[in-house]
Amino acid sequence: MQILTDQSLDLDQFMIGLKRRNPGEREFHQAVYEVAEKLIPFINQHPKYARAKVLERLTEPDRIIIFRVCWEDDQKNVRVNRGYRVQFNNAIGPYKGGLRFDKSVTLSILKFLGFEQIFKNSLTTLPMGGGKGGSDFNPKDKSDAEVMRFCQAFMTELSRHIGKDKDVPAGDIGVGAREIGYLYGQYKRLENEFGGVLTGKGLAYGGSLIRTEATGFGCVYFAREMLDTKGDAAEGKTCIVSGSGNVAQYTAQKLLDLGAKVVSMSDRTGSIHDPDGLTQEKMNYVIELKTGRRGSLREYADAFGVSFLEGARPWGIPCDMAFPCATQNELNGDDAKTLLANGCMLVSEGANMPSTLDAVKAFEDAKILYAPGKASNAGGVSISGLEMTQNSMRINWPREEVDRRLQAIMHDIHAQCVEYGQDDGFVNYVKGANIGGFVKVADAMLAYGVV
Ligand code: NDP
Ligand code: 2IT
């Protein structure tokens, strides 16, 4: 039962204030709404959080750094981009979260990502705060030399604000092994320091085994945990995976390993529909095509004689399980209804906030197994956390050890969702992840007093 006091929060009033303070930041409003909707009833049952204004403080970043990034392209033209780092909350550990390089990057997108990261990182059980950064730089149509010069210019400013115990960036969309190499090289040059200031590093210079695979593998391990609660398994299930970048590739790979059938992947140009399903040979082709040559999936359709849905997302293809692994708001309410009508019984998000609020509502109402990204894609940042541990200890764990720890962490995240997500005999994973992620951060904030 809720005891309302004059300290109690009201969702509509809270959102009006948030929108007034952060005008026009649509993605940030959306991410906060999804969390606040689940947290406010919980906070009103625990007035110590309301009294200390924990939600108001959690939705205001500790600081945001915005800077000019100036570099020269191959034709010697001067180019100007905008760089950002949102240091959202460090109550339980150094700021931790990826860097996104994409022409769509705005402050709103990085604030939504940094906000989500607070809860995700708390769920991992590791000591990491929440942050995110990036730039509106598009690495897709640039030469290696241009990407290197951009990364060096970006890190020249960012290096003043990060540190292995302060803020530890990593990859995200448009930031993979190549970019992390250039960023780390410049940090090392500027600071004359070899430490764990970035994660996702190459194995030759302090990276962890399984970091590349971790987000995708973790997303499927989380799906396996959800299926377990129904006595079910992935084997033989038809799956669609959106995206074909880092997260999508290793989600598809783990699904193959578990005997599931992956019939679609996608990119910005469209989706493939391969009714026979990916094989290991086709999977290797996707990795070489997307990470090696940075080409379009259209080439896959030509190479294997399957259909290519030009400019389309894959949600119309019938499946048992869906894994949105491309980007935010790539699955809307109509897509969710189509998936449900086709019999989809599980959605495990590899991307951050891929489902719109309408889609989330449709999945909740249908009571399918639906995992929000902050729970199901936490495997990546978890292995980033373990990369930091290995760097501090000056050791490298073998592949089996890291994979075993990843599976244990995904199991623990699932257990927290089950503990906090109970809803009339059904596990609401959105509620579970939001409340489960909140409690540790909020208790640390209470311990610090008014800061
Ligand atoms: P990549 O850059 O490796 O891949 C992104 C993929 O998504 C590409 O296939 C890209 O298509 C596609 N894509 C991107 N934007 C759009 C768009 N607007 N419309 C259609 N397709 C799009 O990024 P990641 O795999 O690292 O990241 C994917 C998602 O996972 C993001 O939401 C990210 O925040 C999240 N994530 C990533 C983690 C990580 O460890 N990397 C950890 C946790 C979450 P194209 O190939 O045509 O560019
Ligand atoms: O969204 C995410 O969790 C990431 N992009 C990974 C962050 C990290 O620090 O590894």
Side-chain angles (χ1 to χ4, degrees):
M1 199 187 73
Q2 285 200 34
I3 307 151
L4 293 178
T5 68
D6 56 1
Q7 303 275 8
S8 295
L9 283 167
D10 172 80
L11 179 61
D12 291 338
Q13 287 304 318
F14 179 79
M15 288 308 300
I16 288 170
L18 183 104
K19 287 179 182 173
R20 194 181 58 239
R21 291 190 300 279
N22 303 277
E25 296 182 353
R26 199 170 50 84
E27 294 85 1
F28 181 54
H29 301 165
Q30 179 183 339
V32 172
Y33 182 89
E34 189 204 283
V35 169
E37 189 193 21
K38 299 293 191 265
L39 275 185
I40 284 177
F42 179 80
I43 290 175
N44 288 343
Q45 284 163 4
H46 300 83
K48 62 182 177 178
Y49 299 128
R51 269 196 303 275
K53 300 271 192 296
V54 172
L55 191 58
E56 290 84 341
R57 286 154 67 186
L58 258 181
T59 47
E60 196 63 42
D62 287 353
R63 71 189 63 75
I64 298 175
I65 299 131
I66 303 184
F67 50 97
R68 182 182 66 239
V69 187
C70 215
W71 56 284
E72 264 184 13
D73 67 21
D74 288 344
Q75 286 71 45
K76 302 280 179 222
N77 298 308
V78 174
R79 307 284 288 261
V80 186
N81 287 97
R82 189 172 294 170
Y84 305 84
R85 188 72 184 163
V86 180
Q87 296 183 332
F88 224 117
N89 185 292
N90 67 354
I92 62 166
Y95 305 107
K96 181 82 196 87
L99 296 170
R100 178 176 292 191
F101 292 169
D102 193 87
K103 55 182 180 296
S104 66
V105 162
T106 60
L107 183 57
S108 170
I109 288 178
L110 297 179
K111 282 173 72 177
F112 114 64
L113 289 163
F115 181 70
E116 290 279 291
Q117 203 81 39
I118 303 170
F119 300 86
K120 183 194 306 192
N121 292 2
S122 166
L123 285 167
T124 68
T125 70
L126 302 173
M128 300 183 290
K132 200 84 186 190
S135 175
D136 58 355
F137 172 76
N138 174 19
K140 299 265 167 208
D141 56 1
K142 307 292 188 303
S143 69
D144 287 352
E146 289 175 324
V147 171
M148 181 183 77
R149 286 195 293 276
F150 173 82
C151 287
Q152 291 177 343
F154 182 86
M155 182 52 87
T156 300
E157 175 59 33
L158 187 69
S159 63
R160 303 170 200 261
H161 310 287
I162 61 176
K164 66 180 170 45
D165 297 312
K166 191 185 284 181
D167 183 354
V168 182
D172 193 80
I173 292 178
V175 178
R178 173 182 62 169
E179 290 75 18
I180 293 291
Y182 294 145
L183 291 164
Y184 189 71
Q186 181 71 351
Y187 183 86
K188 194 169 68 58
R189 172 157 75 170
L190 292 167
E191 301 295 324
N192 189 23
E193 190 178 288
F194 193 103
V197 69
L198 293 179
T199 62
K201 299 187 292 299
L203 296 178
Y205 60 96
S208 172
L209 286 162
I210 308 271
R211 175 61 190 90
T212 308
E213 298 90 336
T215 311
F217 281 13
C219 181
V220 178
Y221 292 149
F222 197 91
R224 191 173 62 183
E225 295 283 340
M226 292 197 289
L227 287 166
D228 256 3
T229 65
K230 306 276 180 201
D232 206 346
E235 191 175 358
K237 294 227 164 16
T238 299
C239 305
I240 52 186
V241 177
S242 68
S244 47
N246 173 268
V247 178
Q249 289 168 16
Y250 293 98
T251 296
Q253 177 67 60
K254 186 52 73 179
L255 287 168
L256 286 191
D257 296 347
L258 296 184
K261 186 171 169 186
V262 179
V263 296
S264 183
M265 295 186 79
S266 69
D267 65 16
R268 291 174 220 243
T269 63
S271 304
I272 52 162
H273 183 194
D274 188 344
D276 293 338
L278 267 75
T279 56
Q280 192 58 52
E281 182 207 348
K282 291 172 175 174
M283 192 66 245
N284 297 343
Y285 180 93
V286 171
I287 295 177
E288 204 281 315
L289 170 68
K290 297 303 300 185
T291 306
R293 285 189 282 129
R294 298 169 203 274
S296 154
L297 277 180
R298 210 180 275 115
E299 292 183 45
Y300 176 106
D302 293 342
F304 296 106
V306 302
S307 51
F308 185 68
L309 314 174
E310 189 80 40
R313 297 193 163 131
W315 313 124
I317 298 169
C319 68
D320 303 310
M321 309 200 290
F323 297 83
C325 296
T327 193
Q328 68 276 352
N329 291 330
E330 55 165 321
L331 196 167
N332 64 27
D334 291 338
D335 298 325
K337 287 185 191 122
T338 305
L339 283 167
L340 293 167
N342 284 335
C344 178
M345 46 78 77
L346 178 148
V347 177
S348 185
E349 295 182 342
N352 286 305
M353 206 170 75
S355 305
T356 63
L357 289 171
D358 284 353
V360 174
K361 176 96 176 44
F363 294 143
E364 287 180 328
D365 289 349
K367 292 191 170 14
I368 62 161
L369 297 170
Y370 164 63
K374 64 171 74 71
S376 46
N377 74 33
V381 75
S382 298
I383 302 308
S384 279
L386 298 186
E387 183 174 329
M388 291 161 71
T389 307
Q390 293 169 81
N391 291 164
S392 299
M393 295 167 78
R394 304 273 193 269
I395 57 165
N396 298 305
W397 287 324
R399 195 177 163 85
E400 298 69 31
E401 170 75 9
V402 182
D403 194 32
R404 187 186 61 73
R405 287 175 186 261
L406 173 61
Q407 294 186 52
I409 289 172
M410 298 316 292
H411 176 83
D412 287 349
I413 296 173
H414 183 268
Q416 293 172 73
C417 291
V418 171
E419 180 183 348
Y420 289 104
Q422 293 300 328
D423 221 344
D424 284 340
F426 150 77
V427 179
N428 183 318
Y429 286 89
V430 181
K431 177 179 169 190
N434 286 334
I435 299 177
F438 170 78
V439 171
K440 189 162 66 157
V441 178
D443 288 346
M445 289 170 71
L446 289 186
Y448 298 143
V450 181
V451 290

PDB file of all heavy atoms in Angstrom, residues 199-228:
ATOM      1  N   THR A 199      38.443   0.698 -22.054  1.00  0.00           N
ATOM      2  CA  THR A 199      38.258  -0.749 -22.194  1.00  0.00           C
ATOM      3  C   THR A 199      37.829  -1.062 -23.618  1.00  0.00           C
ATOM      4  O   THR A 199      37.454  -0.164 -24.369  1.00  0.00           O
ATOM      5  CB  THR A 199      37.246  -1.306 -21.176  1.00  0.00           C
ATOM      6  OG1 THR A 199      35.982  -0.693 -21.409  1.00  0.00           O
ATOM      7  CG2 THR A 199      37.696  -1.079 -19.742  1.00  0.00           C
ATOM      8  N   GLY A 200      37.925  -2.374 -23.937  1.00  0.00           N
ATOM      9  CA  GLY A 200      37.744  -2.766 -25.329  1.00  0.00           C
ATOM     10  C   GLY A 200      39.076  -2.655 -26.056  1.00  0.00           C
ATOM     11  O   GLY A 200      39.120  -2.595 -27.288  1.00  0.00           O
ATOM     12  N   LYS A 201      40.172  -2.628 -25.278  1.00  0.00           N
ATOM     13  CA  LYS A 201      41.502  -2.504 -25.869  1.00  0.00           C
ATOM     14  C   LYS A 201      41.860  -3.808 -26.595  1.00  0.00           C
ATOM     15  O   LYS A 201      41.327  -4.878 -26.302  1.00  0.00           O
ATOM     16  CB  LYS A 201      42.538  -2.218 -24.762  1.00  0.00           C
ATOM     17  CG  LYS A 201      42.270  -0.899 -24.014  1.00  0.00           C
ATOM     18  CD  LYS A 201      43.391  -0.537 -23.048  1.00  0.00           C
ATOM     19  CE  LYS A 201      43.553  -1.439 -21.854  1.00  0.00           C
ATOM     20  NZ  LYS A 201      42.382  -1.504 -20.967  1.00  0.00           N
ATOM     21  N   GLY A 202      42.816  -3.714 -27.531  1.00  0.00           N
ATOM     22  CA  GLY A 202      43.308  -4.901 -28.229  1.00  0.00           C
ATOM     23  C   GLY A 202      44.011  -5.829 -27.246  1.00  0.00           C
ATOM     24  O   GLY A 202      44.527  -5.391 -26.212  1.00  0.00           O
ATOM     25  N   LEU A 203      44.047  -7.137 -27.596  1.00  0.00           N
ATOM     26  CA  LEU A 203      44.646  -8.106 -26.672  1.00  0.00           C
ATOM     27  C   LEU A 203      46.131  -7.842 -26.476  1.00  0.00           C
ATOM     28  O   LEU A 203      46.692  -8.150 -25.425  1.00  0.00           O
ATOM     29  CB  LEU A 203      44.434  -9.528 -27.204  1.00  0.00           C
ATOM     30  CG  LEU A 203      42.974  -9.983 -27.280  1.00  0.00           C
ATOM     31  CD1 LEU A 203      42.869 -11.383 -27.868  1.00  0.00           C
ATOM     32  CD2 LEU A 203      42.317  -9.935 -25.893  1.00  0.00           C
ATOM     33  N   ALA A 204      46.779  -7.224 -27.466  1.00  0.00           N
ATOM     34  CA  ALA A 204      48.218  -6.967 -27.358  1.00  0.00           C
ATOM     35  C   ALA A 204      48.530  -5.872 -26.344  1.00  0.00           C
ATOM     36  O   ALA A 204      49.666  -5.759 -25.883  1.00  0.00           O
ATOM     37  CB  ALA A 204      48.766  -6.565 -28.724  1.00  0.00           C
ATOM     38  N   TYR A 205      47.552  -5.045 -26.004  1.00  0.00           N
ATOM     39  CA  TYR A 205      47.872  -3.912 -25.113  1.00  0.00           C
ATOM     40  C   TYR A 205      46.854  -3.752 -23.981  1.00  0.00           C
ATOM     41  O   TYR A 205      46.413  -2.650 -23.656  1.00  0.00           O
ATOM     42  CB  TYR A 205      48.056  -2.609 -25.911  1.00  0.00           C
ATOM     43  CG  TYR A 205      46.860  -2.146 -26.714  1.00  0.00           C
ATOM     44  CD1 TYR A 205      45.972  -1.200 -26.211  1.00  0.00           C
ATOM     45  CD2 TYR A 205      46.637  -2.643 -27.994  1.00  0.00           C
ATOM     46  CE1 TYR A 205      44.884  -0.767 -26.949  1.00  0.00           C
ATOM     47  CE2 TYR A 205      45.549  -2.212 -28.741  1.00  0.00           C
ATOM     48  CZ  TYR A 205      44.679  -1.275 -28.200  1.00  0.00           C
ATOM     49  OH  TYR A 205      43.601  -0.845 -28.931  1.00  0.00           O
ATOM     50  N   GLY A 206      46.516  -4.884 -23.347  1.00  0.00           N
ATOM     51  CA  GLY A 206      45.731  -4.783 -22.117  1.00  0.00           C
ATOM     52  C   GLY A 206      44.265  -5.110 -22.236  1.00  0.00           C
ATOM     53  O   GLY A 206      43.511  -4.952 -21.272  1.00  0.00           O
ATOM     54  N   GLY A 207      43.824  -5.570 -23.399  1.00  0.00           N
ATOM     55  CA  GLY A 207      42.413  -5.937 -23.568  1.00  0.00           C
ATOM     56  C   GLY A 207      42.101  -7.262 -22.903  1.00  0.00           C
ATOM     57  O   GLY A 207      43.003  -8.019 -22.550  1.00  0.00           O
ATOM     58  N   SER A 208      40.804  -7.508 -22.731  1.00  0.00           N
ATOM     59  CA  SER A 208      40.368  -8.772 -22.127  1.00  0.00           C
ATOM     60  C   SER A 208      39.814  -9.701 -23.201  1.00  0.00           C
ATOM     61  O   SER A 208      39.099  -9.255 -24.106  1.00  0.00           O
ATOM     62  CB  SER A 208      39.251  -8.510 -21.108  1.00  0.00           C
ATOM     63  OG  SER A 208      38.711  -9.737 -20.655  1.00  0.00           O
ATOM     64  N   LEU A 209      40.120 -10.971 -23.077  1.00  0.00           N
ATOM     65  CA  LEU A 209      39.452 -11.964 -23.916  1.00  0.00           C
ATOM     66  C   LEU A 209      37.941 -11.845 -23.693  1.00  0.00           C
ATOM     67  O   LEU A 209      37.495 -11.495 -22.585  1.00  0.00           O
ATOM     68  CB  LEU A 209      39.952 -13.366 -23.558  1.00  0.00           C
ATOM     69  CG  LEU A 209      41.371 -13.665 -24.059  1.00  0.00           C
ATOM     70  CD1 LEU A 209      41.978 -14.849 -23.314  1.00  0.00           C
ATOM     71  CD2 LEU A 209      41.371 -13.925 -25.562  1.00  0.00           C
ATOM     72  N   ILE A 210      37.172 -12.127 -24.729  1.00  0.00           N
ATOM     73  CA  ILE A 210      35.691 -12.126 -24.700  1.00  0.00           C
ATOM     74  C   ILE A 210      35.082 -10.725 -24.651  1.00  0.00           C
ATOM     75  O   ILE A 210      33.875 -10.593 -24.763  1.00  0.00           O
ATOM     76  CB  ILE A 210      35.104 -12.988 -23.528  1.00  0.00           C
ATOM     77  CG1 ILE A 210      35.686 -14.390 -23.500  1.00  0.00           C
ATOM     78  CG2 ILE A 210      33.594 -13.079 -23.569  1.00  0.00           C
ATOM     79  CD1 ILE A 210      34.973 -15.427 -24.308  1.00  0.00           C
ATOM     80  N   ARG A 211      35.857  -9.637 -24.512  1.00  0.00           N
ATOM     81  CA  ARG A 211      35.204  -8.315 -24.503  1.00  0.00           C
ATOM     82  C   ARG A 211      34.474  -8.074 -25.812  1.00  0.00           C
ATOM     83  O   ARG A 211      33.356  -7.553 -25.821  1.00  0.00           O
ATOM     84  CB  ARG A 211      36.198  -7.176 -24.221  1.00  0.00           C
ATOM     85  CG  ARG A 211      35.567  -5.772 -24.328  1.00  0.00           C
ATOM     86  CD  ARG A 211      34.433  -5.569 -23.323  1.00  0.00           C
ATOM     87  NE  ARG A 211      33.626  -4.353 -23.505  1.00  0.00           N
ATOM     88  CZ  ARG A 211      32.522  -4.272 -24.248  1.00  0.00           C
ATOM     89  NH1 ARG A 211      32.052  -5.321 -24.937  1.00  0.00           N
ATOM     90  NH2 ARG A 211      31.855  -3.135 -24.323  1.00  0.00           N
ATOM     91  N   THR A 212      35.102  -8.450 -26.944  1.00  0.00           N
ATOM     92  CA  THR A 212      34.458  -8.223 -28.246  1.00  0.00           C
ATOM     93  C   THR A 212      33.109  -8.937 -28.318  1.00  0.00           C
ATOM     94  O   THR A 212      32.128  -8.399 -28.826  1.00  0.00           O
ATOM     95  CB  THR A 212      35.373  -8.757 -29.377  1.00  0.00           C
ATOM     96  OG1 THR A 212      36.662  -8.186 -29.203  1.00  0.00           O
ATOM     97  CG2 THR A 212      34.840  -8.400 -30.749  1.00  0.00           C
ATOM     98  N   GLU A 213      33.061 -10.150 -27.792  1.00  0.00           N
ATOM     99  CA  GLU A 213      31.863 -10.977 -27.909  1.00  0.00           C
ATOM    100  C   GLU A 213      30.841 -10.689 -26.809  1.00  0.00           C
ATOM    101  O   GLU A 213      29.670 -11.109 -26.903  1.00  0.00           O
ATOM    102  CB  GLU A 213      32.238 -12.470 -27.792  1.00  0.00           C
ATOM    103  CG  GLU A 213      33.166 -13.010 -28.873  1.00  0.00           C
ATOM    104  CD  GLU A 213      34.651 -12.886 -28.512  1.00  0.00           C
ATOM    105  OE1 GLU A 213      34.987 -12.008 -27.679  1.00  0.00           O
ATOM    106  OE2 GLU A 213      35.474 -13.626 -29.065  1.00  0.00           O
ATOM    107  N   ALA A 214      31.274 -10.002 -25.730  1.00  0.00           N
ATOM    108  CA  ALA A 214      30.536 -10.042 -24.464  1.00  0.00           C
ATOM    109  C   ALA A 214      29.100  -9.518 -24.529  1.00  0.00           C
ATOM    110  O   ALA A 214      28.203 -10.100 -23.914  1.00  0.00           O
ATOM    111  CB  ALA A 214      31.297  -9.266 -23.397  1.00  0.00           C
ATOM    112  N   THR A 215      28.857  -8.431 -25.255  1.00  0.00           N
ATOM    113  CA  THR A 215      27.495  -7.879 -25.249  1.00  0.00           C
ATOM    114  C   THR A 215      26.536  -8.860 -25.920  1.00  0.00           C
ATOM    115  O   THR A 215      25.457  -9.166 -25.379  1.00  0.00           O
ATOM    116  CB  THR A 215      27.447  -6.507 -25.942  1.00  0.00           C
ATOM    117  OG1 THR A 215      28.495  -5.694 -25.422  1.00  0.00           O
ATOM    118  CG2 THR A 215      26.110  -5.832 -25.720  1.00  0.00           C
ATOM    119  N   GLY A 216      26.934  -9.360 -27.081  1.00  0.00           N
ATOM    120  CA  GLY A 216      26.076 -10.305 -27.802  1.00  0.00           C
ATOM    121  C   GLY A 216      25.917 -11.620 -27.049  1.00  0.00           C
ATOM    122  O   GLY A 216      24.790 -12.121 -26.885  1.00  0.00           O
ATOM    123  N   PHE A 217      27.030 -12.176 -26.578  1.00  0.00           N
ATOM    124  CA  PHE A 217      26.931 -13.432 -25.818  1.00  0.00           C
ATOM    125  C   PHE A 217      26.036 -13.219 -24.589  1.00  0.00           C
ATOM    126  O   PHE A 217      25.160 -14.029 -24.293  1.00  0.00           O
ATOM    127  CB  PHE A 217      28.326 -13.897 -25.342  1.00  0.00           C
ATOM    128  CG  PHE A 217      29.164 -14.590 -26.398  1.00  0.00           C
ATOM    129  CD1 PHE A 217      28.829 -14.549 -27.748  1.00  0.00           C
ATOM    130  CD2 PHE A 217      30.311 -15.292 -26.041  1.00  0.00           C
ATOM    131  CE1 PHE A 217      29.614 -15.191 -28.714  1.00  0.00           C
ATOM    132  CE2 PHE A 217      31.091 -15.938 -26.990  1.00  0.00           C
ATOM    133  CZ  PHE A 217      30.748 -15.879 -28.324  1.00  0.00           C
ATOM    134  N   GLY A 218      26.257 -12.106 -23.897  1.00  0.00           N
ATOM    135  CA  GLY A 218      25.487 -11.831 -22.678  1.00  0.00           C
ATOM    136  C   GLY A 218      24.000 -11.700 -22.969  1.00  0.00           C
ATOM    137  O   GLY A 218      23.152 -12.148 -22.192  1.00  0.00           O
ATOM    138  N   CYS A 219      23.684 -11.099 -24.112  1.00  0.00           N
ATOM    139  CA  CYS A 219      22.280 -10.899 -24.493  1.00  0.00           C
ATOM    140  C   CYS A 219      21.586 -12.249 -24.664  1.00  0.00           C
ATOM    141  O   CYS A 219      20.417 -12.424 -24.281  1.00  0.00           O
ATOM    142  CB  CYS A 219      22.266 -10.074 -25.784  1.00  0.00           C
ATOM    143  SG  CYS A 219      20.647  -9.689 -26.396  1.00  0.00           S
ATOM    144  N   VAL A 220      22.317 -13.220 -25.208  1.00  0.00           N
ATOM    145  CA  VAL A 220      21.730 -14.556 -25.395  1.00  0.00           C
ATOM    146  C   VAL A 220      21.747 -15.329 -24.065  1.00  0.00           C
ATOM    147  O   VAL A 220      20.797 -16.060 -23.764  1.00  0.00           O
ATOM    148  CB  VAL A 220      22.474 -15.315 -26.519  1.00  0.00           C
ATOM    149  CG1 VAL A 220      21.894 -16.728 -26.688  1.00  0.00           C
ATOM    150  CG2 VAL A 220      22.354 -14.544 -27.831  1.00  0.00           C
ATOM    151  N   TYR A 221      22.784 -15.128 -23.263  1.00  0.00           N
ATOM    152  CA  TYR A 221      22.775 -15.778 -21.937  1.00  0.00           C
ATOM    153  C   TYR A 221      21.569 -15.293 -21.132  1.00  0.00           C
ATOM    154  O   TYR A 221      20.939 -16.059 -20.400  1.00  0.00           O
ATOM    155  CB  TYR A 221      24.065 -15.487 -21.156  1.00  0.00           C
ATOM    156  CG  TYR A 221      25.313 -16.124 -21.721  1.00  0.00           C
ATOM    157  CD1 TYR A 221      26.557 -15.501 -21.576  1.00  0.00           C
ATOM    158  CD2 TYR A 221      25.277 -17.343 -22.391  1.00  0.00           C
ATOM    159  CE1 TYR A 221      27.720 -16.075 -22.078  1.00  0.00           C
ATOM    160  CE2 TYR A 221      26.430 -17.922 -22.899  1.00  0.00           C
ATOM    161  CZ  TYR A 221      27.658 -17.281 -22.742  1.00  0.00           C
ATOM    162  OH  TYR A 221      28.799 -17.850 -23.240  1.00  0.00           O
ATOM    163  N   PHE A 222      21.248 -13.999 -21.276  1.00  0.00           N
ATOM    164  CA  PHE A 222      20.090 -13.473 -20.544  1.00  0.00           C
ATOM    165  C   PHE A 222      18.795 -14.111 -21.071  1.00  0.00           C
ATOM    166  O   PHE A 222      17.924 -14.495 -20.293  1.00  0.00           O
ATOM    167  CB  PHE A 222      20.013 -11.941 -20.638  1.00  0.00           C
ATOM    168  CG  PHE A 222      19.111 -11.345 -19.602  1.00  0.00           C
ATOM    169  CD1 PHE A 222      19.615 -10.959 -18.367  1.00  0.00           C
ATOM    170  CD2 PHE A 222      17.747 -11.202 -19.826  1.00  0.00           C
ATOM    171  CE1 PHE A 222      18.773 -10.443 -17.382  1.00  0.00           C
ATOM    172  CE2 PHE A 222      16.902 -10.689 -18.844  1.00  0.00           C
ATOM    173  CZ  PHE A 222      17.422 -10.306 -17.620  1.00  0.00           C
ATOM    174  N   ALA A 223      18.704 -14.247 -22.391  1.00  0.00           N
ATOM    175  CA  ALA A 223      17.527 -14.911 -22.991  1.00  0.00           C
ATOM    176  C   ALA A 223      17.414 -16.339 -22.458  1.00  0.00           C
ATOM    177  O   ALA A 223      16.317 -16.820 -22.144  1.00  0.00           O
ATOM    178  CB  ALA A 223      17.652 -14.903 -24.508  1.00  0.00           C
ATOM    179  N   ARG A 224      18.569 -17.000 -22.339  1.00  0.00           N
ATOM    180  CA  ARG A 224      18.563 -18.378 -21.835  1.00  0.00           C
ATOM    181  C   ARG A 224      18.029 -18.434 -20.401  1.00  0.00           C
ATOM    182  O   ARG A 224      17.270 -19.332 -20.041  1.00  0.00           O
ATOM    183  CB  ARG A 224      19.991 -18.935 -21.913  1.00  0.00           C
ATOM    184  CG  ARG A 224      20.085 -20.413 -21.681  1.00  0.00           C
ATOM    185  CD  ARG A 224      21.488 -20.934 -21.939  1.00  0.00           C
ATOM    186  NE  ARG A 224      22.481 -20.339 -21.044  1.00  0.00           N
ATOM    187  CZ  ARG A 224      23.786 -20.579 -21.100  1.00  0.00           C
ATOM    188  NH1 ARG A 224      24.269 -21.388 -22.025  1.00  0.00           N
ATOM    189  NH2 ARG A 224      24.624 -20.021 -20.252  1.00  0.00           N
ATOM    190  N   GLU A 225      18.423 -17.445 -19.595  1.00  0.00           N
ATOM    191  CA  GLU A 225      17.912 -17.381 -18.210  1.00  0.00           C
ATOM    192  C   GLU A 225      16.394 -17.209 -18.206  1.00  0.00           C
ATOM    193  O   GLU A 225      15.682 -17.830 -17.418  1.00  0.00           O
ATOM    194  CB  GLU A 225      18.542 -16.203 -17.453  1.00  0.00           C
ATOM    195  CG  GLU A 225      20.036 -16.305 -17.221  1.00  0.00           C
ATOM    196  CD  GLU A 225      20.412 -17.268 -16.104  1.00  0.00           C
ATOM    197  OE1 GLU A 225      19.542 -17.574 -15.260  1.00  0.00           O
ATOM    198  OE2 GLU A 225      21.569 -17.731 -16.098  1.00  0.00           O
ATOM    199  N   MET A 226      15.900 -16.340 -19.105  1.00  0.00           N
ATOM    200  CA  MET A 226      14.439 -16.117 -19.153  1.00  0.00           C
ATOM    201  C   MET A 226      13.724 -17.395 -19.604  1.00  0.00           C
ATOM    202  O   MET A 226      12.695 -17.772 -19.039  1.00  0.00           O
ATOM    203  CB  MET A 226      14.100 -14.957 -20.107  1.00  0.00           C
ATOM    204  CG  MET A 226      14.572 -13.607 -19.621  1.00  0.00           C
ATOM    205  SD  MET A 226      13.753 -12.225 -20.465  1.00  0.00           S
ATOM    206  CE  MET A 226      14.453 -12.310 -22.093  1.00  0.00           C
ATOM    207  N   LEU A 227      14.268 -18.051 -20.627  1.00  0.00           N
ATOM    208  CA  LEU A 227      13.652 -19.290 -21.126  1.00  0.00           C
ATOM    209  C   LEU A 227      13.630 -20.365 -20.041  1.00  0.00           C
ATOM    210  O   LEU A 227      12.653 -21.104 -19.905  1.00  0.00           O
ATOM    211  CB  LEU A 227      14.428 -19.801 -22.351  1.00  0.00           C
ATOM    212  CG  LEU A 227      14.236 -18.996 -23.638  1.00  0.00           C
ATOM    213  CD1 LEU A 227      15.302 -19.367 -24.670  1.00  0.00           C
ATOM    214  CD2 LEU A 227      12.842 -19.223 -24.222  1.00  0.00           C
ATOM    215  N   ASP A 228      14.719 -20.419 -19.263  1.00  0.00           N
ATOM    216  CA  ASP A 228      14.826 -21.378 -18.146  1.00  0.00           C
ATOM    217  C   ASP A 228      13.640 -21.283 -17.194  1.00  0.00           C
ATOM    218  O   ASP A 228      13.177 -22.296 -16.675  1.00  0.00           O
ATOM    219  CB  ASP A 228      16.073 -21.036 -17.312  1.00  0.00           C
ATOM    220  CG  ASP A 228      17.206 -22.003 -17.572  1.00  0.00           C
ATOM    221  OD1 ASP A 228      17.037 -22.893 -18.428  1.00  0.00           O
ATOM    222  OD2 ASP A 228      18.252 -21.839 -16.909  1.00  0.00           O
TER     223      ASP A 228
END
